[in-house]
Amino acid sequence: QKVREAAAEIQELHEELASAYDATLSALMIALDYRDDETQGHSLRVVSYTDRLAREMGIGEPMLTEIRRGAMLHDVGKIGVPDAILRKPERLSPQEQEIMRLHPQLGYEMLRSISFLSIPAELVLTHQERWDGLGYPKGLRQEEIPIGARIFSVADTFDAMTSDRPYRKAQPFPVVRQELMDFAGLQFDPRVVEAFLRVPEGEWLAMSEDPEWGGQG
């Protein structure tokens, strides 16, 4: 009896600690969004989309939490990007783009020594890689890219295309869907695109209006 009680207490403490970790990560995610005027609410939405896509692909715990944490922290390396670049209202120059492209490596360097973030750190490092090997920073291709980063790539593109930006308006869902289909096997893992297309349009649009709607269960 005492052993069972002790085990239950340990499990409860573990869950409380995990909850505290995620609350801290959520606060950091929100702070990052506030720093980047262009992408207000971006991180919360993309976490919701990533979580839904991972579930659609049959990914369960504990990997689901690892992927969700990686999505929450994907832009943490932008802490090292100057405000003049991060907050620039128009398109970046080639030189500014090169500085911006450093953020996955910067984020990885920040997180890699934190033991409970070792797997999320890999998503942070690889979230700008492409299925065809033309991404950065390592030029990884296909299965070399962690599954979480491949899922995130589709979720991130969906959010970018359905959000207003200073240099263009949000695109309607059919345009976004066609873009993902056109770049399946190039920018995106075709299986992730297939999973995206299996989820009803209305569900994606509901999550875009209320990211918590997709939830975590």
Side-chain angles (χ1 to χ4, degrees):
Q1 178 67 25
K2 288 184 178 180
V3 171
R4 285 197 297 272
E5 289 176 356
E9 185 175 343
I10 290 170
Q11 179 62 27
E12 183 178 350
L13 289 171
H14 175 77
E15 290 172 359
E16 289 177 0
L17 185 60
S19 178
Y21 282 157
D22 287 338
T24 301
L25 298 184
S26 293
L28 177 58
M29 176 182 73
I30 292 167
L32 288 167
D33 262 6
Y34 276 125
R35 183 167 178 252
D36 189 349
D37 289 339
E38 183 180 307
T39 58
Q40 287 288 299
H42 161 71
S43 293
L44 185 59
R45 291 190 303 270
V46 86
V47 169
S48 183
Y49 301 151
T50 300
D51 179 83
R52 181 63 183 88
L53 259 180
R55 291 174 185 275
E56 185 65 28
M57 295 189 71
I59 294 173
E61 298 295 359
M63 182 53 69
L64 192 63
T65 290
E66 302 282 11
I67 290 173
R68 195 159 51 232
R69 287 173 175 168
M72 291 169 73
L73 292 167
H74 72 278
D75 272 346
V76 70
K78 287 185 177 179
I79 289 173
V81 176
D83 279 353
I85 294 175
L86 191 65
R87 302 169 73 94
K88 187 176 180 179
E90 59 269 358
R91 289 187 181 276
L92 301 180
S93 70
Q95 294 81 7
E96 291 167 336
Q97 288 177 20
E98 285 302 309
I99 294 172
M100 183 67 83
R101 284 163 65 102
L102 296 175
H103 81 269
Q105 186 70 46
L106 291 173
Y108 176 72
E109 295 296 333
M110 292 170 60
L111 301 176
R112 65 175 183 170
S113 61
I114 304 173
S115 59
F116 88 100
L117 293 177
S118 59
I119 294 176
E122 292 293 333
L123 188 154
V124 170
L125 177 64
T126 58
H127 75 275
Q128 294 287 351
E129 301 288 355
R130 289 174 46 120
W131 183 252
D132 59 10
L134 299 180
Y136 63 90
K138 292 189 171 185
L140 303 179
R141 63 192 311 272
Q142 298 188 11
E143 305 289 339
E144 294 174 346
I145 306 167
I147 183 62
R150 285 180 266 146
I151 292 170
F152 174 86
S153 179
V154 171
D156 188 46
T157 296
F158 175 66
D159 186 65
M161 292 190 69
T162 54
S163 301
D164 285 332
R165 295 293 169 87
Y167 43 84
R168 62 147 179 79
K169 289 292 186 180
Q171 302 296 301
F173 188 87
V175 173
V176 179
R177 181 178 58 213
Q178 189 61 53
E179 178 91 357
L180 293 175
M181 293 169 62
D182 289 346
F183 284 88
L186 297 171
Q187 184 173 351
F188 310 115
D189 180 343
R191 291 172 301 169
V192 179
V193 174
E194 289 170 8
F196 178 91
L197 296 174
R198 288 197 299 269
V199 178
E201 175 182 343
E203 194 169 337
W204 290 120
L205 296 179
M207 278 188 281
S208 71
E209 294 295 325
D210 179 12
E212 295 296 342
W213 186 87
Q216 298 175 10

